[in-house]
Amino acid sequence: MPDRAADLVVPSVAAAVGRLVRRTLEHRFAPSQTRAELLAQIVVAEPTHLVGLTEQARSIGLPVDSTHVAFWVDLRPAHAGEGDPPIAERRRLLASAEMLCLEIMHPSDTWWHVVRVGGSLLLLASDDDGGDGQVLVRAARADVDVAVARLVADEGAVVHVGMGTDQRGLGGIRQSSVEARSAAELALRTGRPGVITVMDTTGLRRVLADLHASPLSRRVMDELLAPLDALGPTRAATAVRTLTAYLDHQCSPKHAGAALHLHPNAVTYRIQRVTETLGVDLADPDVRLGLHLACRMRGLLDAAPAS
């Protein structure tokens, strides 16, 4: 015969123990909260504002001059189904994930900070190893792999993780975080849960990732393409894809057509419709540059390797 008293008492005891563990962790990591708040400011700051944050960061013990690598973690309840999960559920999951990551990473030899930024977690690893940062990258990835596995197993979470490149200095914190966030957004859009996704950040992609992280830049670029967006998602996507290929191939209908698998006349027709909708003249080099950047930013998350 089942013990009904035990059935009632055991869950209550477990919940009480869970609350006690949470309070203990919160007390243990309380001194890092001020640093975490400053890190959140650094991540979203415009590059020109970083100078004013440097001394403040040093004054509260942030290893500004070290090597850093960032991981951006997007968390969603596994049972949420289609659409966004309830805000309360995401907040609960975020709080649990923050404590779990702190618990896992506190004993690590790597210097870690776990930061809430909006509805996501930023995991920042830092180490002044004096090398090229690869020692830090390997150690940090190992810790994050453990954290992701625990989040899936213990919290039933769907986890999308992006990793930035190793960077030095305060600007490096922001740069690596920008790259990690872009990679996490890519992982979410392309359905790559449970693995660390790395954005190809060589050359132009690094510039585009930085532009994408700036609210002002995103607003300007979105305004350039707004007339196309007004056509609806499907037609806008076709127009942007055509315009991107056309500009990528120095305004050649022949080469753009080869890339798009279209006849050059079809490309010419589409571009005429696009320029009429936008009200622009592609003979103007400034117009071409602005639209090219806007199109490439729009396609920034289209492809990147998971590793």
Side-chain angles (χ1 to χ4, degrees):
M1 181 175 181
D3 189 338
R4 297 189 180 279
D7 289 344
L8 293 172
V9 171
V10 170
S12 298
V13 172
V17 171
R19 288 194 295 271
L20 178 60
V21 170
R22 183 178 299 280
R23 283 197 296 271
T24 301
L25 289 171
E26 289 172 346
H27 178 73
R28 181 194 303 174
F29 297 115
S32 69
Q33 293 307 303
T34 299
R35 292 194 292 270
E37 291 167 3
L38 182 58
L39 280 171
Q41 292 181 45
I42 292 169
V43 170
V44 300
E46 296 290 344
T48 54
H49 297 163
L50 290 179
V51 175
L53 297 173
T54 301
E55 289 307 314
Q56 185 179 352
R58 286 197 177 98
S59 71
I60 60 174
L62 277 177
V64 173
D65 301 313
S66 296
T67 301
H68 314 281
V69 60
F71 298 80
W72 196 277
V73 183
D74 179 276
L75 298 149
R76 293 162 192 263
H79 54 75
E82 294 185 2
D84 291 331
I87 293 176
E89 176 66 8
R90 289 201 67 179
R91 285 177 177 169
R92 183 207 65 76
L93 179 60
L94 189 65
S96 296
E98 182 182 24
M99 288 296 105
L100 187 149
C101 289
L102 286 167
E103 181 182 5
I104 290 171
M105 293 165 177
H106 179 67
S108 171
D109 292 333
T110 303
W111 191 96
W112 278 103
H113 258 103
V114 180
V115 185
R116 294 193 206 186
V117 183
S120 302
L121 284 182
L122 169 66
L123 310 179
L124 183 71
S126 304
D127 187 20
D128 193 9
D129 60 11
D132 61 4
Q134 291 308 301
V135 173
L136 172 65
V137 168
R138 288 192 293 270
R141 287 193 62 146
D143 287 344
V144 173
D145 281 336
V146 172
V148 170
R150 285 280 305 275
L151 287 169
V152 173
D154 296 3
E155 298 294 336
V158 178
V159 187
H160 295 88
V161 185
M163 184 179 79
T165 54
D166 55 290
Q167 302 281 336
R168 290 190 70 86
L170 195 68
I173 293 175
R174 182 185 181 279
Q175 181 64 44
S176 188
S177 300
V178 164
E179 296 166 0
R181 184 173 189 170
S182 294
E185 290 174 356
L186 166 68
L188 180 62
R189 285 178 51 178
T190 56
R192 302 176 185 176
V195 296
I196 296 174
T197 298
V198 183
M199 181 69 71
D200 174 11
T201 53
T202 57
L204 180 60
R205 275 196 173 272
R206 179 168 292 177
V207 175
L208 292 173
D210 196 62
L211 286 172
H212 183 267
S214 165
L216 176 60
S217 296
R218 284 202 307 272
R219 185 167 65 250
V220 170
M221 297 302 170
D222 285 344
E223 287 173 356
L224 286 174
L225 299 177
L228 298 181
D229 292 333
L231 300 174
T234 301
R235 293 177 64 192
T238 299
V240 171
R241 187 166 57 251
T242 303
L243 182 57
T244 302
Y246 186 70
L247 295 171
D248 281 348
H249 292 88
Q250 293 78 49
C251 300
S252 167
K254 177 182 177 180
H255 294 118
L260 295 168
H261 306 291
L262 292 172
H263 191 279
N265 290 345
V267 174
T268 299
Y269 173 75
R270 285 188 182 183
I271 291 299
Q272 287 175 346
R273 296 293 301 272
V274 166
T275 55
E276 289 171 2
T277 301
L278 293 174
V280 298
D281 180 4
L282 292 181
D284 185 331
D286 290 339
V287 170
R288 289 200 306 274
L289 176 60
L291 286 174
H292 206 177
L293 283 172
C295 288
R296 293 297 294 270
M297 273 185 62
R298 183 68 61 90
L300 174 65
L301 304 179
D302 283 350
S307 59

